[in-house]
Amino acid sequence: MALIVQKFGGSSVADAEKINRVAGIIKDTYDAGNSVIVVLSAQGDTTDDLIDKAHEINPAPSKREMDMLLSTGEQISIALCAMALERMNVPVVSLTGWQIGMRTDSSYSSARIKSVATERIRAELDRKRVVLVAGFQGVNKFDDVTTLGRGGSDTTAVAIAAKLHADLCQIYTDVTGVFTADPRLVPTAHQLAEITYDEMLELASLGAQVLHNRSVEMARRYGVNLEVLSSYERKPGTKVKEVVKMEETKISGIAKDSNIARIALVGLKDEPGVAFKIFRDMAKAKINVDIILQSIGRDSTKDISFTVAQSDVDAAMKTLMDNRDAIGFQNLSMDDTVCKLSIVGAGMINSPGIAAMMFEALYDAKVNIRMISTSEIKVSVLIDEADSDIAMKAVHQKFFGE
Ligand code: ADP
Ligand code: ASP
Ligand code: MG
């Protein structure tokens, strides 16, 4: 008998038929003699619909009230799925984040998990019940509801698996595992049998939404036995683990992030302290800056451009305008029609020429590169969003063939 945590994403519980299918998977796992904890996301587009609803009432609602609203989606899913299991005569109980003692910090809309109490879950498992937990939500020190950020139900599942030392944490979704690229964008992408935590963390952080990046970070820290698999097809998924059998490929995957904007400051004085002032102001405004490029401008001036998440772009532009005199730029511009394309692979550390291969693929596809950034296990380029489809396919073809 094993302790298994299963998480089902929004599309897997989108309607009654799908909930019944998910309940069938849970029942089979339970009937095989396992202790089962299940984390569910909100049904289908519920979270997006709730966001739209909020904006009809108030274009800038407080984050606290947004979390109160968005957390309701997951609650609907667990209650409905519990009803499906009741009908199949499986003993079950549904519990909210508060009921399982999911404690977070107070950053509404992107809260971090601080602790998970185990008493209630263990008591319910001892009573031989399947425990259904609302994903994505917790409570802060004021007992107010918080959410973990979009896609955060994966992190709920991994946190529970880590805390209860589960034998396995299965993330069921609408694809059969982790692929070399998003299979919806690159039809020739192939599924990986396994991937290291480090590579998966990079891919997730660089836009592969198949796993919430914080869930991978947590799985790595606590050594959680993680698997991504399909709710629709019963076949082996992708194992995310510490060491992977060395395959021949130098890179394991390609990811795209479209939630990005490029800000350019033109005509800055070419003297010490200018970059410091810009990025100090960004840090004060709690804005994460990603790729940075400094270049020589006209008449002994310099230009600095950098990327931020699209959700931060208004705040970044306002901060720069507010500090225009102190920073001293001639022009400020913003472009949100860009995206970041990245290749990830632990194998590239000892393989010169990987970046060149990527650039050659982009050159052959006539895609212009606007910015470049590299680390030991990734190369990222900023390109026009309009080029992203062809660029992704060209780079995939270069490294993985048809
Ligand atoms: P869920 O609702 O189950 O949490 P998500 O939509 O968050 O599902 O994540 C699954 C989606 O991630 C897939 O439908 C796929 O389009 C996308 N995706 C992006 N990159 C990858 C990748 N490398 N491998 C598999 N899926 C990916
Ligand atoms: N329902 C939330 C979202 O859509 C959390 C999740 O699905 O993981 O982002
Ligand atoms: Mg998800």
Side-chain angles (χ1 to χ4, degrees):
M1 194 192 94
L3 173 58
I4 300 180
V5 177
Q6 299 182 322
K7 178 260 173 180
F8 295 88
S11 49
S12 307
V13 292
D15 55 34
E17 190 197 325
K18 288 179 175 155
I19 287 183
N20 278 319
R21 190 204 314 261
V22 162
I25 298 175
I26 298 168
K27 179 177 161 43
D28 287 351
T29 315
Y30 178 82
D31 286 348
N34 300 299
S35 295
V36 191
I37 303 165
V38 178
V39 174
L40 297 181
S41 294
Q43 291 185 280
D45 297 329
T46 303
T47 309
D48 290 326
D49 294 344
L50 288 171
I51 292 171
D52 290 346
K53 257 195 178 108
H55 290 153
E56 272 173 32
I57 306 243
N58 179 347
S62 69
K63 288 187 170 178
R64 180 194 183 279
E65 299 309 331
M66 271 314 264
D67 280 5
M68 184 61 110
L69 179 68
L70 297 192
S71 65
T72 61
E74 272 64 17
Q75 224 167 300
I76 294 173
S77 296
I78 52 168
L80 291 176
C81 189
M83 291 172 196
L85 286 161
E86 280 174 348
R87 207 166 158 213
M88 296 173 177
N89 294 317
V90 177
V92 61
V93 61
S94 66
L95 299 170
T96 63
W98 176 74
Q99 286 175 299
I100 64 154
M102 177 67 71
R103 290 277 160 188
T104 71
D105 66 14
S106 287
S107 322
Y108 297 108
S109 85
S110 57
R112 286 190 168 255
I113 296 172
K114 295 195 117 175
S115 61
V116 191
T118 53
E119 295 80 4
R120 180 71 192 265
I121 295 181
R122 284 205 192 280
E124 299 293 354
L125 291 176
D126 288 346
R127 297 174 70 183
K128 300 283 173 237
R129 286 171 157 179
V130 169
V131 182
L132 296 188
V133 176
F136 172 61
Q137 56 176 261
V139 287
N140 64 16
K141 62 181 176 200
F142 310 112
D143 285 342
D144 285 343
V145 177
T146 54
T147 66
L148 308 180
R150 299 304 305 267
S153 296
D154 300 336
T155 301
T156 306
V158 173
I160 292 172
K163 182 72 191 192
L164 289 159
H165 305 290
D167 297 289
L168 182 59
C169 181
Q170 297 179 310
I171 307 290
Y172 284 88
T173 184
D174 57 1
V175 285
T176 52
V178 179
F179 283 66
T180 46
D182 186 338
R184 290 180 208 292
L185 303 177
V186 182
T188 53
H190 66 256
Q191 189 181 323
L192 301 166
E194 42 190 32
I195 184 169
T196 63
Y197 292 124
D198 285 345
E199 289 173 305
M200 191 61 238
L201 181 55
E202 282 288 346
L203 279 177
S205 304
L206 292 166
Q209 74 183 54
V210 63
L211 283 175
H212 193 225
N213 61 353
R214 295 229 305 276
S215 73
V216 186
E217 205 173 45
M218 197 175 290
R220 179 176 67 179
R221 188 172 336 134
Y222 297 101
V224 174
N225 196 356
L226 194 60
E227 185 180 7
V228 179
L229 65 177
S230 165
S231 325
Y232 307 107
E233 289 174 63
R234 299 203 181 187
K235 58 188 252 191
T238 301
K239 296 217 154 54
V240 188
K241 50 197 262 194
E242 193 59 67
V243 187
V244 173
K245 281 178 250 120
M246 256 344 235
E247 286 185 22
E248 279 308 296
T249 50
K250 303 280 186 282
I251 77 162
S252 55
I254 302 172
K256 179 184 98 155
D257 185 357
S258 299
N259 172 31
I260 196 167
R262 174 176 177 268
I263 292 177
L265 296 124
V266 174
L268 293 156
K269 282 207 189 95
D270 193 13
E271 62 184 28
V274 175
F276 162 65
K277 282 181 201 154
I278 296 169
F279 297 111
R280 174 196 57 191
D281 291 344
M282 290 299 110
K284 269 194 201 156
K286 295 200 161 45
I287 293 167
N288 266 321
V289 170
D290 186 16
I291 309 176
I292 301 174
L293 185 80
Q294 174 170 307
S295 51
I296 297 166
R298 272 182 243 147
D299 306 328
S300 60
T301 62
K302 65 184 171 189
D303 305 338
I304 291 182
S305 47
F306 58 94
T307 62
V308 296
Q310 271 179 19
S311 46
D312 283 336
V313 80
D314 291 345
M317 293 294 277
K318 183 177 181 313
T319 304
L320 292 169
M321 282 314 285
D322 288 350
N323 294 288
R324 180 172 191 156
D325 292 342
I327 300 169
F329 53 85
Q330 286 164 17
N331 269 307
L332 174 65
S333 63
M334 185 279 287
D335 184 356
D336 60 5
T337 62
V338 291
C339 74
K340 184 169 69 171
L341 190 69
S342 310
I343 55 172
V344 170
M348 71 172 74
I349 301 178
N350 298 316
S351 301
I354 296 289
M357 269 173 83
M358 182 188 197
F359 303 154
E360 185 181 27
L362 293 170
Y363 168 59
D364 289 344
K366 300 193 172 48
V367 173
N368 190 32
I369 300 172
R370 308 250 222 124
M371 288 172 144
I372 298 171
S373 124
T374 62
S375 79
E376 277 193 332
I377 68 163
K378 69 130 210 252
V379 180
S380 297
V381 294
L382 194 79
I383 58 173
D384 288 341
E385 175 70 45
D387 290 335
S388 72
D389 249 25
I390 178 175
M392 202 149 179
K393 288 185 181 124
V395 173
H396 192 273
Q397 157 87 35
K398 188 84 177 170
F399 287 99
F400 300 103
E402 280 303 334

